[in-house]
Amino acid sequence: MLYGIATAITALLLAALLSALLRVLALRLGLVDRRRRARPLPLLGGLAVVLSTCLIAAAGRWTGTAPLGDGVGGLLAAGAAVAVLGTAADVWRLKTPFVLVGTALAAACVVPYDEIGPVAGIAAVVWIACVAAAFRGLDHADGLAGTVGVLTAFGVGVCAAAEVMDDLAVLLSVLAAALTGFLMHNWHPARVAFGSGGSLFTGFVVASAALLARTGYGTVSTVAVLFALTATASADAVLVLVSRKLAGRPLLRRGPDHLAHRLRRLGPTPPGATVLLGLATFAAVLVGVLVHTGWAGPTAVLWVAGAALAVVLGLLRVPAYAPRRPTELNSVRAQTPGSGTRPQSRVPGTRGRPEERTARSMPAAGAATRARGDASGSGAPPRVRADSSGARPRTEPFRVLRALRQSGAGAPRAPRGRAPYDAETGAPGVQAPRRQLEYPPPPPRQSTSPQVRAPLRIRDG
């Protein structure tokens, strides 16, 4: 008892010290969490948990005060290999399938096939790899993976102590203490992240220890206890997979669709969401411990399964993905020259049809000149006669354009260089002559001089 307390305190202090040291090292090496862009968050915090657990266990075995059995020693070695694989995934961005395969190979070295059989052994290997990956997914919020890991390790340690597996119980108590020391730096606002190395190590050790503690029991009760002990991680994994499948997103792409992300959208703060999930984990682990020790029947796990299903279905209704912005790819392709459509005008401040945009973009006098030239059938504008005073009358371009539109002279004609054709037969035809416009005589120019107005008044009668 005293040795367990001493080792737990030592693991806690050692993990807290190593977390601070590895934080500085990760910042200098640039190993930060790329998902959190608001502030650089180092990723080597999980190695502090791995090193503390392995060093305390090795010291106990070397001194002989807490020797580890062959099965527990192999479990710790396989967990250390998984931690190295997870750290390599953080540094070199290894693909998730590669990490899952490596974790499954490590789990294959831990499962007791002679006691549970080959078929159940293969299922156990897959389950251990999935639980380790689910714990890796819990590292999406500050303090969440550490909190769930502490409660789960403590519950599995109680189950191992009930089976008089002292070496396994000591290992799990050291792991829980190391996670507590790590939480001193990982609680919101976190100064260091768990990383794939620490999360995979915690999930692998907890799942393998729970399987070893349940060896020899019935299949139904074993499945019930194992699910209760890992209910939070399993619910998070199911929620993520179902939501991404329904949204048509890749299953292995990271996104803000985990438990803590959706809870925060409902109102709780980041520490509040972690506390709520910690309370749910404590309740599920307590049910698993009671079923394992015989204080409750396997049917009690149905309450845990029902609550987990209700949480998953309820949080699926919380929007997790941002709506896709409408892209103008089709419109850009339609306006691209060579795609079968005429490129639109790019004159700023013009809207409507291309003909109207061209007319608006031209000066008023130039548009009137072009319109009169088209109406007369020649490229030159018609001459304007001068009055008796020798001055040319002023033209009003907007009145001329209005007259052209009302008369239909501005209707589209056949392009230049092409012969007109008959719309009914499709054969070349003769273009109908355009109607010539008769402009009213311009009003005489008024003058303020009485010497000029007198002759004009006499002339007009």
Side-chain angles (χ1 to χ4, degrees):
M1 184 67 181
L2 294 177
Y3 175 77
I5 296 176
T7 53
I9 294 176
T10 305
L12 188 149
L13 297 178
L14 184 59
L17 178 61
L18 290 177
S19 298
L21 295 177
L22 291 175
R23 177 182 181 274
V24 177
L25 179 61
L27 287 176
R28 291 189 177 183
L29 296 177
L31 300 177
V32 296
D33 192 354
R34 303 177 183 88
R35 295 172 296 176
R36 308 181 187 186
R37 302 178 181 178
R39 50 192 169 88
L41 197 61
L43 281 175
L44 297 182
L47 287 183
V49 177
V50 177
L51 293 176
S52 301
T53 305
C54 294
L55 289 177
I56 297 299
R61 185 174 184 177
W62 179 63
T63 57
T65 54
L68 301 177
D70 295 335
V72 179
L75 168 63
L76 189 60
V82 171
V84 172
L85 178 62
T87 305
D90 288 335
V91 175
W92 291 292
R93 299 185 183 183
L94 299 181
K95 300 296 183 180
T96 302
F98 182 78
V99 176
L100 288 176
V101 171
T103 307
L105 291 177
C109 302
V110 177
V111 174
Y113 300 97
D114 53 348
E115 298 182 12
I116 63 176
V119 178
I122 296 175
V125 168
V126 175
W127 179 77
I128 292 174
C130 292
V131 170
F135 266 85
R136 185 190 183 190
L138 288 178
D139 191 26
H140 62 272
D142 294 346
L144 180 58
T147 302
V148 175
V150 168
L151 296 174
T152 307
F154 182 77
V156 177
V158 172
C159 295
E163 298 297 325
V164 198
M165 303 174 68
D166 297 334
D167 50 355
L168 189 59
V170 170
L171 176 62
L172 291 171
S173 64
V174 170
L175 175 61
L179 289 171
T180 305
F182 166 74
L183 281 176
M184 295 181 181
H185 300 271
N186 188 243
W187 193 256
H188 183 80
R191 301 177 67 248
V192 62
F194 210 13
S196 299
S199 57
L200 288 174
F201 174 80
T202 303
F204 181 86
V205 172
V206 167
S208 301
L211 181 65
L212 293 177
R214 288 296 303 179
T215 302
Y217 286 88
T219 304
V220 177
S221 62
T222 299
V223 171
V225 172
L226 294 180
F227 170 75
L229 293 175
T230 59
T232 302
S234 302
D236 181 74
V238 171
L239 174 64
V240 169
L241 294 178
V242 172
S243 63
R244 292 177 183 177
K245 184 65 176 179
L246 294 178
R249 296 171 61 91
L251 299 180
L252 301 180
R253 177 184 296 178
R254 296 179 178 179
D257 49 6
H258 293 266
L259 287 174
H261 294 149
R262 297 175 187 266
L263 286 178
R264 289 184 58 184
R265 289 184 176 88
L266 296 179
T269 60
T274 302
V275 170
L276 289 177
L277 293 175
L279 293 176
T281 304
F282 175 77
V285 170
L286 180 61
V287 172
V289 171
L290 293 178
V291 172
H292 176 77
T293 54
W295 290 87
T299 55
V301 183
L302 295 177
W303 293 96
V304 178
L309 181 61
V311 168
V312 170
L313 294 179
L315 293 181
L316 277 176
R317 303 178 62 88
V318 178
Y321 310 108
R324 297 181 178 178
R325 298 180 180 179
T327 58
E328 300 179 358
L329 182 60
N330 296 332
S331 61
V332 171
R333 290 180 178 177
Q335 297 178 3
T336 303
S339 59
T341 58
R342 181 180 178 181
Q344 303 295 336
S345 175
R346 295 185 178 272
V347 179
T350 58
R351 296 180 180 179
R353 298 180 180 179
E355 295 81 6
E356 297 179 0
R357 288 199 297 269
T358 306
R360 293 176 185 176
S361 61
M362 294 171 58
T369 305
R370 179 68 59 82
R372 288 196 299 270
D374 295 340
S376 61
S378 61
R383 296 183 179 180
V384 180
R385 297 180 180 180
D387 54 2
S388 59
S389 62
R392 291 178 179 271
R394 296 180 180 179
T395 58
E396 297 182 9
F398 294 98
R399 182 179 298 178
V400 174
L401 288 176
R402 189 181 300 109
L404 290 175
R405 292 176 181 175
Q406 293 177 359
S407 62
R413 59 179 181 177
R416 296 181 181 179
R418 297 181 183 180
Y421 64 94
D422 190 359
E424 296 182 358
T425 62
V430 180
Q431 185 177 2
R434 291 188 175 86
R435 183 178 60 179
Q436 301 292 336
L437 294 179
E438 297 181 0
Y439 295 95
R445 182 178 179 182
Q446 300 294 334
S447 177
T448 58
S449 176
Q451 290 81 6
V452 176
R453 285 187 297 181
L456 293 177
R457 192 180 297 113
I458 294 173
R459 187 193 65 180
D460 296 337

